[in-house]
Amino acid sequence: MNKKILIIMLVIFLPLTILMLGVIPFNNVEPQIEYAYDDSFEVSNYYVEMKVDEYRYVYVKEIIDINYLKPKSAIIRDIPIVKGLQIKDIDSPDRQISVEKYGTNVAIDLDASNFTPSTAPRQYTLTYTLILPKITDAKNTVPLNVIGVGWPVRILNTEIDVTLPAVPTASFYYTGKWGTTAGADRLDVSAEGTKINIKSNGALQPYEGITVGYNLPEGTLKQKFEWSLLPKIIAGLVLILLCYLLYAKFGKDNQIYPVVNFTPGGLNPAEAGYLVDSKCDASDLTSLIYYWAARGYLGIADNKKDKDISLTKLKPLPESSKSHELTLFNGLFQKGDVITVGSLQNTFYSTMERAKQQLVGLYHNKLYEKNSVFVAVLLCVLPVLFTVVSLFFSGRAIHSTYVPINLLLLAAPAVALYFAATALFRFEPKIFEKKKYYYFGYSFLVFVLCFIMILFFRSNFIPKPDAMVYVLTYGLILTFAPFAQKRTDYYSGLLNDLIGFKNYISTVEKDKMEMMLKDNPSYYYEILPFANTLGVSDKWMHKFDGLSVEPPRYYIGYRPFDFIIFNAMFSRSIMNITRTAVSRPPAQHSGGSFGGFGRGGGGFGGGGGFGGGGFGGGGGRSR
């Protein structure tokens, strides 16, 4: 992959990813409330303290008194994280707690170490910090679910203290179930400057909550840069630079510079087919039949009666022939000097497999630098480790026990991109003229997988700035890292000759073909099997349209020779021979058969224009 293609790939990936990160709202879902009442406990007293600063940070303290009506171990507090809301620093001063994801909620077990059911009344103290997003249509409004609508029990007494960064210019209060726009008369509100005290003048029924909202003077609320993000940005940039330096030093491939070449350079068609895409196809091996025929080692007869092709051994291959050739040729004529292709049905596959192994073994450790594959794997692993470790610390910012689920799934995109890049890199010589379009497609694949990662982060309460750092680092490295599979100088030289030969087959002019045929009447048939394994047989055939081509000496047909009919027979016979040569007898089985391969409440909507329409809140449940 040259620098020009790499730059264009990055130009495709970066704007698309940044645009995606800017457009996709995080946690942009409405809370899902399931009305299932709980008769095992009730809340006798619920005190909430919320201190709001000018950077939209809300420092929350909750003191919850629980009367257990049935033996239970603890309460799980559910806080919905929706509409871009962030939560961190969850703690309890007097109990061991644990935090996990529960649908769209952060679920906090308020007494994680207690598993002994009891009816004894208990008090729970919980502290946490909410970071409110900027509301587009109400940028100076602070809507808060001070008591969430997700409690399935009665709350007998409530008291809330709210401290604001400035004296509000307007306020609203709602009490009731989710969606209500009434209930202010159920609250006693007193205000002194920036401090507001709210008390309910009656019990809240199951799934009733309190939502408040305050409009602050223009310019009160500001944006704050999260300095905890800076080390992650620096680490991401350092990792990108390190990976590129490793790629440039150990894995940057030798460029392919095709040279005009009139011959395959001492290779046979099977080798050419294998080398051009690092894959030994069965058709690469069966093309040897026409290669040997053009060199006088066997004859080919097209039989009308049984619509089969017969092969006649004319002379043995030289002992100096390569092992895969000898295996295949001798295997064909093992039972006699004349065979039909049909006789290979279900019997020749083991010979084909052995010849394939010999061909691949011929170039074992000769095509790629030994360390380059390791470097490519390492460069794919590093961004995964970076993202996993970073996500771990992002989870610890919420609570020491919170780890975003399915962290190991972050390896899946890297694995997919490694195999996609490996396939593209090794197939590159075969699609050399159009390779840039395939590389552009790869960069789009990186973008798509990063889009999936964004959805993953979104559902796991990862802050949007953090997600931008993780995804851009991950995606940028994987745009080039899997291509750190350096070809050897030997292989690059072979490819220069092969692609030059392929280009010659594709672009040679007809007048030169006429001269070639005059010098060598069999030239067309000698090159035909190479054109087949290089994927340009149709172009090679069309080059000779209208030219006088003599019949091949090795071919016996049941009708007068026709060049077009012969070409059709060649294409058809290669497919038939290949299909027959690799066929296997059906497997025998005896007996049996084988098969084929959010919960909680509280949310935000429209700047807090209804009950449950603010940030925070949620509810609780017993365990």
Side-chain angles (χ1 to χ4, degrees), residues 26 110 208 211 236 253 258 311 325 337 343 363 367 390 394 409 435 476 481 486 491 547 553 591:
F26 272 37
L110 297 178
E208 286 189 335
T211 297
D253 188 45
L311 307 176
E325 286 192 78
D337 289 346
S343 66
Y363 293 96
L367 304 184
S390 300
S394 290
L409 288 180
K435 66 177 182 179
L476 282 172
K486 189 175 182 180
Y491 189 23
L547 298 181
R553 287 172 295 179

Side-chain angles (χ1 to χ4, degrees), residues 587-594:
Q588 300 294 322
H589 299 294
S590 59
S593 60
F594 296 86

Side-chain angles (χ1 to χ4, degrees), residues 55 61 82 133 156 208 217 292 345 373 388 392 415 419 430 437 445 458 468 480 549 551 570 581 595:
Y55 298 110
K61 180 179 181 180
V82 295
L156 303 183
E208 286 189 335
W292 295 324
Q345 184 81 27
V373 175
V388 169
F392 174 77
V415 172
F419 283 108
K430 203 161 190 175
Y437 301 109
L445 174 62
R458 169 184 168 182
M468 290 183 69
F480 63 84
V549 182
F570 169 83

Side-chain angles (χ1 to χ4, degrees), residues 221-431:
L221 299 178
K222 306 170 186 177
Q223 289 295 117
K224 179 182 180 180
F225 179 74
E226 278 286 343
W227 288 102
S228 62
L229 186 65
L230 187 58
K232 299 172 186 175
I233 295 174
I234 294 174
L237 292 174
V238 169
L239 184 63
I240 292 171
L241 178 61
L242 173 65
C243 288
Y244 183 76
L245 292 176
L246 287 172
Y247 164 79
K249 182 172 180 61
F250 297 106
K252 192 174 181 181
D253 188 45
N254 298 322
Q255 293 300 304
I256 299 174
Y257 298 104
V259 294
V260 177
N261 198 10
F262 303 100
T263 67
L267 302 174
N268 61 49
E271 293 174 283
Y274 172 62
L275 293 172
V276 82
D277 58 8
S278 299
K279 184 162 63 90
C280 182
D281 297 314
S283 59
D284 295 338
L285 293 171
T286 53
S287 291
L288 287 170
I289 290 175
Y290 280 88
Y291 170 75
W292 295 324
R295 281 155 179 74
Y297 293 103
L298 59 81
I300 301 173
D302 190 4
N303 303 316
K304 178 180 180 181
K305 183 177 180 181
D306 52 11
K307 297 182 179 181
D308 199 357
I309 292 175
S310 61
L311 307 176
T312 301
K313 178 180 177 181
L314 302 179
K315 59 181 179 179
L317 289 183
E319 289 298 321
S320 59
S321 299
K322 294 169 182 175
S323 59
H324 62 278
E325 286 192 78
L326 291 171
T327 295
L328 207 62
F329 188 88
N330 295 335
L332 283 172
F333 300 106
Q334 184 178 9
K335 296 182 179 180
D337 289 346
V338 179
I339 64 150
T340 61
V341 170
S343 66
L344 304 177
Q345 184 81 27
N346 299 335
T347 61
F348 199 66
Y349 62 88
S350 59
T351 302
M352 289 284 289
E353 187 61 34
R354 190 162 61 255
K356 175 183 176 179
Q357 292 173 357
Q358 291 169 336
L359 172 56
V360 173
L362 184 65
Y363 293 96
H364 182 62
N365 289 336
K366 295 181 180 180
L367 304 184
Y368 298 95
E369 298 288 352
K370 292 181 180 179
N371 293 333
S372 67
V373 175
F374 170 77
V375 171
V377 173
L378 175 65
L379 293 181
C380 290
V381 170
L382 287 177
V384 175
L385 290 178
F386 168 78
T387 308
V388 169
V389 172
S390 300
L391 282 175
F392 174 77
F393 283 106
S394 290
R396 288 185 68 86
I398 296 175
H399 187 262
S400 60
T401 61
Y402 179 73
V403 178
I405 60 173
N406 296 328
L407 284 179
L408 291 179
L409 288 180
L410 292 174
V415 172
L417 290 172
Y418 174 79
F419 283 108
T422 299
L424 173 56
F425 178 71
R426 301 195 174 195
F427 199 67
E428 177 188 354
K430 203 161 190 175
I431 42 95

Side-chain angles (χ1 to χ4, degrees), residues 126-143:
L126 178 66
T127 60
Y128 54 91
T129 301
L130 298 176
I131 305 176
L132 308 183
K134 185 176 180 179
I135 305 171
T136 305
D137 56 349
K139 60 182 180 180
N140 296 306
T141 300
V142 176

Side-chain angles (χ1 to χ4, degrees), residues 111-123:
D111 197 357
S113 61
N114 179 32
F115 291 93
T116 304
S118 172
T119 58
R122 271 159 275 179
Q123 183 180 86

